[in-house]
Amino acid sequence: MILKELLEIDEEKRLEFVKANKEAILKAKKGQLKTCDAIYSAPRQTKTTATKADGTGESGVYEIVGNSVGFLDSHQDVSMRGSFDKTVRERGNQVPILINHDHTPSAIFARNMGVEVKEIAIAQLGYDMVGTTQVVSAKIAPVYDAHMATLYANGEVKQHSIGLKYVKIELAMNDESDNEAFANWNKYLPEVINRSDAEKLGYFFAVKEQQLFEISAVVFGSNQYTPTLSLQNEPQKALVEWKPIDWKAKFLSIN
């Protein structure tokens, strides 16, 4: 698989590999179902009237964030602003809420109460930067699984991820010999939040449109600093320490 080769190739040879195989890489990226790196998860109870799940474990309605726009991830991809708009508008409220990307009916643990693309402060993602970015946000009610309902009630589910397919994706590369890729580099680089990582890499894949298939609760994602927000109508207080993410270490850890 060419994407596996891309991840495994020596760092000093990676840019030349991308230049030589860019069409095949773009085709492969559009053809796969990707379980996207979790960027942020912020369970927040938005409905104070609790219900019972299977007779045990109280649950409310929680707001979770499955993915964020503008971050270079471990696959060298960057979701651009607007890339989720069409899919969320067309199918966001119908996608299943799963456990760990398990595409079976038994893995559906929560009712989808609505998905939207919204603006959120970058600092709330655990990244030390002023400004805002777009996120895929969902309100869920974990009513189908008593154990999951209890975990959410206790604030123990701290990360989420999404399953998706790329529809439109472009190579952005810091190489003047490729007019199109270099134009994309100059166009999209200012939108990359962890820009220094992209500059070190010398290229990235700008995702212009993607199709959302599911949202999953997961244990580990690419961001270990994932705050749980306070209950609605209470003073906003982080339940875990917010720290800047060492994205360089995150990225290099896959090589």
Side-chain angles (χ1 to χ4, degrees):
M1 293 282 294
I2 196 162
L3 298 182
K4 187 173 185 292
E5 289 182 65
L6 176 59
L7 290 176
E8 292 179 348
I9 196 168
D10 292 340
E11 185 176 347
E12 63 272 12
K13 299 178 181 178
R14 188 171 290 144
L15 188 60
E16 290 300 319
F17 183 84
V18 171
K19 290 169 61 177
N21 297 279
K22 66 177 184 179
E23 296 301 328
I25 293 171
L26 289 171
K27 182 178 179 180
K29 281 182 174 287
K30 290 173 68 175
Q32 71 173 358
L33 179 63
K34 179 180 179 182
T35 53
C36 193
D37 290 332
I39 299 296
Y40 171 62
S41 163
R44 178 177 62 187
Q45 189 168 346
T46 59
K47 182 179 179 182
T48 56
T49 302
T51 58
K52 294 287 185 178
D54 297 333
T56 62
E58 290 188 343
S59 66
V61 176
Y62 298 86
E63 181 179 15
I64 63 173
V65 179
N67 192 251
S68 299
V69 163
F71 284 97
L72 177 71
D73 69 17
S74 60
H75 298 269
Q76 299 109 49
D77 302 335
V78 181
S79 295
M80 311 307 295
R81 281 184 174 273
S83 61
F84 287 107
D85 289 356
K86 184 174 185 291
T87 189
V88 168
R89 183 173 62 250
E90 292 179 347
R91 62 187 300 170
N93 294 345
Q94 285 78 50
V95 298
I97 310 300
L98 307 176
I99 299 174
N100 203 33
H101 301 296
D102 179 4
H103 295 173
T104 62
S106 61
I108 301 174
F109 76 92
R111 183 179 296 127
N112 182 341
M113 306 295 288
V115 176
E116 64 176 323
V117 177
K118 66 187 296 184
E119 201 81 9
I120 193 170
I122 296 172
Q124 287 186 267
L125 307 180
Y127 194 86
D128 188 17
M129 179 180 287
V130 175
T132 64
T133 191
Q134 289 182 337
V135 298
V136 176
S137 172
K139 290 183 179 178
I140 67 169
V143 296
Y144 304 130
D145 187 304
H147 179 63
M148 291 296 291
T150 299
L151 292 179
Y152 272 92
N154 293 338
E156 295 182 49
V157 182
K158 295 181 172 65
Q159 298 194 32
H160 297 81
S161 180
I162 58 178
L164 57 86
K165 273 193 174 182
Y166 294 147
V167 179
K168 297 178 182 178
I169 183 171
E170 301 175 5
L171 172 63
M173 184 167 55
N174 188 16
D175 186 341
E176 296 183 15
S177 68
D178 188 318
N179 292 335
E180 182 180 10
F182 187 61
N184 288 337
W185 175 265
N186 291 321
K187 179 180 180 180
Y188 299 128
L189 182 63
E191 300 182 41
V192 181
I193 295 172
N194 48 337
R195 176 171 174 161
S196 62
D197 293 333
E199 291 174 329
K200 180 179 184 298
L201 185 64
Y203 73 92
F204 60 89
F205 298 93
V207 183
K208 299 295 293 178
E209 183 182 343
Q210 43 202 325
Q211 189 174 18
L212 178 65
F213 283 89
E214 47 92 355
I215 302 174
S216 285
V218 297
V219 175
F220 297 111
S222 62
N223 180 1
Q224 62 180 310
Y225 305 117
T226 50
T228 298
L229 301 184
S230 61
L231 300 182
Q232 188 181 36
N233 300 324
E234 291 185 3
Q236 294 293 304
K237 183 177 69 174
L239 300 183
V240 296
E241 183 182 0
W242 288 3
K243 301 177 181 177
I245 304 168
D246 185 352
W247 280 99
K248 182 179 294 185
K250 288 288 184 184
F251 179 78
L252 294 178
S253 68
I254 69 168
N255 295 327

